[in-house]
Amino acid sequence: MRVSAEDFDPGAELARLEALPGGAIASFTGLVRDDGGLTALHLEHYPAMTERAIADIVAQACARWPLLGVTVIHRHGTLPVGARIVFVGTASSHRVASLEACAFLIDWLKVSAPFWKQERRSDGTRGWVEAAGADDARAKAWGK
Amino acid sequence: MRVSAEDFDPGAELARLEALPGGAIASFTGLVRDDGGLTALHLEHYPAMTERAIADIVAQACARWPLLGVTVIHRHGTLPVGARIVFVGTASSHRVASLEACAFLIDWLKVSAPFWKQERRSDGTRGWVEAAGADDARAKAWGK
Amino acid sequence: MGQLKILYFAWVRERIGRDEETLPRPPAGATVAQLLDQLAATSAGHAEAFADRARLRAALDQSFVPLDTPVGEARELAIFPPVTGG
Amino acid sequence: MGQLKILYFAWVRERIGRDEETLPRPPAGATVAQLLDQLAATSAGHAEAFADRARLRAALDQSFVPLDTPVGEARELAIFPPVTGG
């Protein structure tokens, strides 16, 4: 688990998970998407809470699925269009466990990791991204 | 989409999907798992049908989710413990679409791609892997 | 008329001892299951491979079909166990 | 007694014009919402930031809490909009 301004290498992260004995690796990578006019996202976070929140989410996933390895990387700072923001990787002996845990982790990161995205647009404007109700609903669908 | 005896590089496959404008990349990699005594899996397939079956599964996924890119790689031949067998990668503008399509594709590959696994064990025995009813049930749960 | 190529995979192939054979196309209306009955009489290997139909799957011209499907104009029939790829 | 550190993030921080401030710990039983009422009286920025409580979230000692939670013995309170990471 890492929270960092630095970029990361998804291939190297997958290789680390593949080296575990599980045999089933799922991953999700989120990048800054060009929605027309966006130049960068600035990610602010609450450092003292972030590590705790992510460790808590990972512990929930490990309690729920038989995981052999979990990698969560979340960047902060100013990230241009096309930059990687977040990576979740899971390793298990069971295909379904790795897939479900990966989806669970990214859904929960969306609603319970203390990050806030600000859009920086080519016309010079800045605006905080509003939380999507759909993310909340999807995270709640996992139950507790 | 590739069916090949050759190994592949999941990092390079992810990089190709990241270069698309979507921003949400999901992947699944399946490896030969050491279950104690296994030395290799031998994968037999029905070449004339494999390409058609995988193209059909990919078309179904593209009809169902707004995907910008899909990569499916399935190896055949004799693969030692730890070797990669299968890779599914999906790129979309939507996190949920990439995650769901990735899970759908690997679930359907399990039940509708014409591959058969034979276990080769350290005591010299060989045995064909029996299909798991759970895989059928999971693929059916996606509906048609 | 014409020919029907039959392919076998995995333990079906092993029990029969060959990976393909060619037959004259069966009469109109004949199903895959009826063809299996006919083939089961040709050798002990065929009989053993086709003994438990619940463990067999079929494809006509590279598409999965139930065993009670008529062979019709198909040129290629494949008989195999449930798939275990992925 | 003791002190309570208050942290602000995203547009809450921008409207208030600072990222943290320190207050004496409020009386026993006082809730986060009551503390926000008190802070809203201290500046126009606070008043604007706290005007729509439905758009605010809070954490006490780095754990999310509803706004009607008593501050209790917590040492750090954070006020921010709903998170948008991932």
Side-chain angles (χ1 to χ4, degrees), chain D residues 4 12-13 16 19 24-25 27 35-37 40 43 46 49 52-53 55 65 68 71 78:
Chain D
L4 177 68
V12 175
R13 174 180 53 72
I16 291 173
D19 56 12
R25 198 191 303 284
L35 194 65
L36 294 184
D37 291 339
S43 84
H46 285 83
D52 183 358
R53 301 290 165 91
R55 298 183 66 205
V65 294
D68 60 2
V71 174

Side-chain angles (χ1 to χ4, degrees), chain B residues 1-34:
Chain B
M1 190 256 283
R2 293 205 299 284
V3 179
S4 160
E6 300 302 314
D7 196 13
F8 54 89
D9 175 357
E13 300 303 333
L14 285 187
R16 213 164 286 153
L17 293 167
E18 286 183 2
L20 300 170
I25 317 290
S27 81
F28 178 84
T29 310
L31 298 91
V32 180
R33 168 164 46 111
D34 180 8

Side-chain angles (χ1 to χ4, degrees), chain C residues 50-70:
Chain C
F50 300 157
D52 183 358
R53 300 292 164 86
R55 300 182 65 203
L56 296 180
R57 298 293 181 271
L60 277 171
D61 287 344
Q62 296 94 44
S63 291
F64 289 109
V65 294
L67 297 186
D68 59 3
T69 307

Side-chain angles (χ1 to χ4, degrees), chain A residues 44-49 52 74 85-86 106 109-118 128-131, chain D residues 7-11 13-14 55 57 59-64 76-78 80-86:
Chain A
E44 181 171 328
H45 77 133
Y46 177 5
M49 182 170 173
R52 175 184 292 214
H74 203 308
I85 304 170
V86 64
I106 187 68
L109 279 177
K110 285 255 160 204
V111 300
S112 66
F115 287 84
W116 298 272
K117 283 181 182 142
Q118 188 186 54
W128 292 98
V129 175
E130 293 279 326
Chain D
L7 304 177
Y8 304 118
F9 293 97
W11 56 254
R13 174 180 53 72
E14 289 179 339
R55 298 183 66 205
R57 299 290 182 273
L60 278 172
D61 286 345
Q62 298 95 45
S63 291
F64 289 110
E76 189 169 286
L77 167 65
F80 43 74
V83 303
T84 55

Side-chain angles (χ1 to χ4, degrees), chain B residues 32 38-43 77-79 85 117-120 129:
Chain B
V32 180
L38 187 76
T39 56
L41 284 180
H42 179 77
L43 277 105
T78 303
L79 306 174
I85 304 170
K117 283 180 182 142
Q118 188 187 56
E119 294 180 339
R120 302 194 168 176
V129 175

Side-chain angles (χ1 to χ4, degrees), chain A:
Chain A
M1 191 252 281
R2 293 206 295 285
V3 179
S4 160
E6 300 302 314
D7 195 13
F8 54 88
D9 175 357
E13 299 303 334
L14 284 188
R16 213 164 288 152
L17 293 167
E18 286 184 0
L20 301 170
I25 318 291
S27 81
F28 178 84
T29 311
L31 298 90
V32 179
R33 169 162 46 111
D34 179 9
D35 67 350
L38 186 76
T39 56
L41 284 180
H42 179 78
L43 277 104
E44 181 171 328
H45 77 133
Y46 177 5
M49 182 170 173
T50 304
E51 300 243 344
R52 175 184 292 214
I54 296 183
D56 180 57
I57 295 165
V58 170
Q60 282 184 47
C62 289
R64 203 156 158 169
W65 289 280
L67 301 175
L68 295 162
V70 174
T71 304
V72 173
I73 304 174
H74 203 308
R75 296 177 70 191
H76 57 87
T78 302
L79 306 174
V81 165
R84 300 180 187 102
I85 304 170
V86 64
F87 177 88
V88 172
T90 53
S92 175
S93 298
H94 302 283
R95 173 177 99 265
V96 176
S98 67
L99 289 164
E100 287 189 353
C102 181
F104 168 88
L105 285 163
I106 187 68
D107 286 351
W108 272 97
L109 279 177
K110 285 255 160 204
V111 300
S112 66
F115 287 84
W116 298 272
K117 283 181 182 142
Q118 188 186 54
E119 293 180 339
R120 303 195 166 175
R121 314 197 71 85
S122 51
D123 62 8
T125 58
R126 297 176 170 201
W128 292 98
V129 175
E130 293 279 326
D135 289 334
D136 252 340
R138 194 170 144 91
K140 287 217 179 76
W142 289 105
K144 259 291 187 182

Side-chain angles (χ1 to χ4, degrees), chain C:
Chain C
M1 287 300 288
Q3 305 266 296
L4 177 68
K5 188 158 119 179
I6 310 183
L7 304 177
Y8 303 118
F9 293 97
W11 56 254
V12 175
R13 173 180 55 71
E14 290 180 337
R15 285 183 196 175
I16 291 173
R18 55 200 296 182
D19 56 12
E20 64 172 81
E21 58 189 310
T22 302
L23 294 186
R25 197 190 304 284
T31 65
V32 172
Q34 287 165 346
L35 195 65
L36 294 185
D37 291 338
Q38 180 191 323
L39 284 161
T42 64
S43 83
H46 285 82
E48 190 198 340
F50 300 157
D52 183 358
R53 300 292 164 86
R55 300 182 65 203
L56 296 180
R57 298 293 181 271
L60 277 171
D61 287 344
Q62 296 94 44
S63 291
F64 289 109
V65 294
L67 297 186
D68 59 3
T69 307
V71 173
E73 299 299 308
R75 302 164 67 114
E76 189 169 288
L77 167 65
I79 305 293
F80 43 74
V83 303
T84 54

